[in-house]
Amino acid sequence: MTLTESWNAYMEVLRRRAPMTAAVVRPPRDRQTRMNVERATTPWPDELHEFFSLHDGQLMPTGASVYVGTVLPDRLLFGLDEVAREHRRQLENPFPIYDLGEDWPARIETQAAGESAHMFLPEYVPFGADGSFSLDYVDTRRGPHHGCVRFFGGGGADEGGPEYDSLADYVESLLVSVDTGVAHVLVPTFENDALVWTSALTQRD
């Protein structure tokens, strides 16, 4: 499936099984706004433009008494404003890398997408985060894994390789998980018309 096909199928499943969650997915912004955010961050692969041509993230109502769930597994799906804001915030608050040696910045320049820099790089484009600012992001660096989806943790930075080869693969994995109930690290459940992600351990209790 293409990214657009997987996304549309996923939204259809959410409208059917978690309408509260589907209802807070914001419609996409115009192309010029996407281009402005690209200029404020780093050159985007075509797939990232396609991704944000489908939505503008998830609105999280403030002061809401009813939990609306999350499109991503226990993470808020970013819109364009959040992408630019989080990218800037990460670069303004860099991870300390002094313990990696004086030559480490030069070594990072030789890395390809999917390799661990142990810090947030300008070439990383975040598209989701949890409350502790663990991020889902696209690694736009060159190489065979250009455009892969990775996870950035508050403690471990970008340790670990690509989780998914592309956004299309990632969204398709969400579709399969929510449509079948198969765990996506977390288990999709439905409460009061909202998609709620819970741990497998909770499911066994």
Side-chain angles (χ1 to χ4, degrees):
M1 297 177 76
T2 67
L3 172 57
T4 297
E5 289 170 342
S6 294
W7 177 263
N8 288 340
Y10 185 38
M11 289 300 102
E12 179 58 34
V13 170
L14 289 186
R15 284 190 288 270
R16 177 164 40 89
R17 305 195 65 186
M20 286 285 291
T21 307
V24 294
V25 177
R26 297 176 292 206
R29 308 272 284 278
D30 59 276
R31 181 178 182 277
Q32 186 58 54
T33 303
R34 293 198 306 275
M35 298 297 291
N36 290 343
V37 174
E38 179 183 23
R39 282 193 288 270
T41 54
T42 192
W44 288 9
D46 290 344
E47 192 184 53
L48 198 53
H49 279 284
E50 181 182 359
F51 186 59
F52 283 104
S53 76
L54 299 168
H55 67 88
D56 188 42
Q58 173 184 345
L59 175 68
M60 184 60 75
T62 57
S65 59
V66 178
Y67 183 61
V68 297
T70 58
V71 175
L72 306 183
D74 206 28
R75 281 169 158 76
L76 184 67
L77 175 65
F78 284 170
L80 292 173
D81 291 343
E82 290 86 13
V83 170
R85 185 182 307 123
E86 184 60 26
H87 186 270
R88 183 174 60 251
R89 190 189 76 83
Q90 289 288 340
L91 293 179
E92 289 175 349
N93 299 275
F95 269 60
I97 58 169
Y98 54 83
D99 58 336
L100 297 176
E102 293 182 359
D103 65 334
W104 186 247
R107 290 176 59 188
I108 290 174
E109 294 295 322
T110 69
Q111 289 183 333
E115 296 186 62
S116 295
H118 302 287
M119 61 185 296
F120 187 90
L121 299 178
E123 296 86 355
Y124 295 170
V125 181
F127 64 88
D130 64 12
S132 61
F133 293 103
S134 293
L135 303 174
D136 292 344
Y137 69 95
V138 172
D139 189 341
T140 70
R141 290 178 294 174
R142 66 188 184 282
H145 296 294
H146 172 71
C148 66
V149 172
R150 302 178 64 190
F151 301 150
F152 192 94
D158 64 347
E159 294 177 358
E163 297 290 337
Y164 299 91
D165 287 336
S166 65
L167 279 165
D169 288 347
Y170 179 60
V171 173
E172 186 169 356
S173 73
L174 296 177
L175 168 63
V176 170
S177 177
V178 173
D179 201 26
T180 65
V182 174
H184 191 282
V185 181
L186 297 176
V187 178
T189 62
F190 303 94
E191 299 178 15
N192 300 318
D193 290 334
L195 173 57
V196 180
W197 300 87
T198 60
S199 73
L201 291 177
T202 300
Q203 292 291 304
R204 291 197 295 266
D205 289 343

